[in-house]
Amino acid sequence: MPTPSRPASVQSAFQPSALAHAFEQVRARTEALAAPLSAEDCQLQSMPDASPTKWHLAHLTWFFETFILERHEHDFQPFDASFRVLFNSYYNGVGDKHPRPQRGLISRPTLGEVMAYRAQVNERMLALLSAPSAKGDASLAQLVTLGLHHEQQHQELLLTDIKHALSFNPQRPAYAQRWPLTGIHLQPLQWHGFEGGLVEHGHLPAEDGAFAFDNETPRHKVYVAPFELASRLVTNAEWMGFIADGGYERPELWLAMGWDWVQAGQRRLPLYWQEAPDSAPGRYINFTLHGQVEVDPNTPACHLSYFEADAFARWSGARLPTEFEWELAARRQPAAHWRNGNFSEAAAFHPLPTQADHGHAPVQMAGDVWEWTQSNYNPYPGYRPWEGLVGEYNGKFMCNQFVLRGGSCATPQSHIRASYRNFFPPEAQWQFSGLRLARDAA
């Protein structure tokens, strides 16, 4: 299917016709992202944390069939009863699951059968949304809207997972053919001060839209001490300086768990980087969704773990921001400014350098790379998970993970808001994750 001409808004599509339109656009976008891949590509699973493209396509359909059609469709019959186990991700309340590390071994159903599954469930969902009973059914609209945001999350995972899988191919194949980078004059890093204080934090419908995941609520007060935030993201050139100064060889820069992680994996470079062959030291190439290319010094550094981001911040004489500082800084400027980064709709599929004016506020806070914060992924005061089976969506992962903010070049733009909380364990690298520096106010 063709890529939609404009991103579907799934923030507040509560009228059945608007919801059906958003459903069609989001579902078509997923298939457009998978279109450059062969059936063989779609079968690949390169590590337990990643999933095959075919599995993503099926699981996203499973979500609508299991949580919506099974509950709301008259005379419901599953497309294939075995899919209930095969494509369940982590919902223990639904029942058994196929082991996550073995998703790449599911050669059948075929990709064609999975696409037939998608087509049938799409047709049934559109029929349900056009039925008279759908009008005014707020619970149905909320569940479909959740499903669409869930699909947008997997659109990003589809890109990050296939990048990881293709990186193991010695031919270094390209997912996309149009290399997006052009030469720019990078603006110097500046610092922007914020007074802090006792501030409201969390989902704000008037600014963020009607929808939010349960982990973004409830809105509550947080004290934030005065702080300063860097005007832009850390770049590859700055990361090369960290490498040249022995950053991966200096235990004083690393958390104890981080140093163990460096030593265990003999890590000396970010994920996908390697020294350029037959060149002087300090020149690097990296694998991208456009194939193997030379590392661009002005591009935001990405595919960094929390351990790496934290070590770089220490080396810089700074620190990572808290998620509360990040959100405060975003809300202190117009949305058009802080949301001025590069998202998946641009089809660059790679972070891009910014040429925006840094003079008045931090730029590129949304898009390009997810920004690690120093905040543990914990529930907000008064947090309550959603009722029912979808209550397993976020809350049960609130352990041993850190919060990231802002979205990336693989994130749909309509999916991001100031209150959005992403989360990963500190060793995760395969997402488009980078960093912005912060420091205490002088």
Side-chain angles (χ1 to χ4, degrees), residues 50-72:
S51 297
T53 298
K54 186 176 76 174
W55 188 90
H56 285 299
L57 292 166
H59 167 71
L60 293 167
T61 305
W62 171 95
F63 186 96
F64 287 106
E65 183 182 57
T66 303
F67 290 121
I68 298 174
L69 292 178
E70 186 172 319
R71 177 178 172 183
H72 291 275

Side-chain angles (χ1 to χ4, degrees), residues 109-167:
T110 66
L111 179 61
E113 289 169 324
V114 166
M115 297 308 293
Y117 178 38
R118 284 183 67 89
Q120 194 218 65
V121 168
N122 285 353
E123 183 178 348
R124 293 159 63 191
M125 281 293 303
L126 291 172
L128 176 66
L129 292 174
S130 65
S133 59
K135 187 175 183 179
D137 189 338
S139 64
L140 172 62
Q142 290 168 349
L143 199 53
V144 173
T145 302
L146 167 62
L148 296 180
H149 280 274
H150 169 251
E151 181 132 359
Q152 288 184 309
Q153 287 180 316
H154 277 265
Q155 289 172 359
E156 178 162 4
L157 289 170
L158 187 156
L159 290 169
T160 55
D161 291 357
I162 196 61
K163 178 175 182 178
H164 193 264
L166 293 176
S167 73

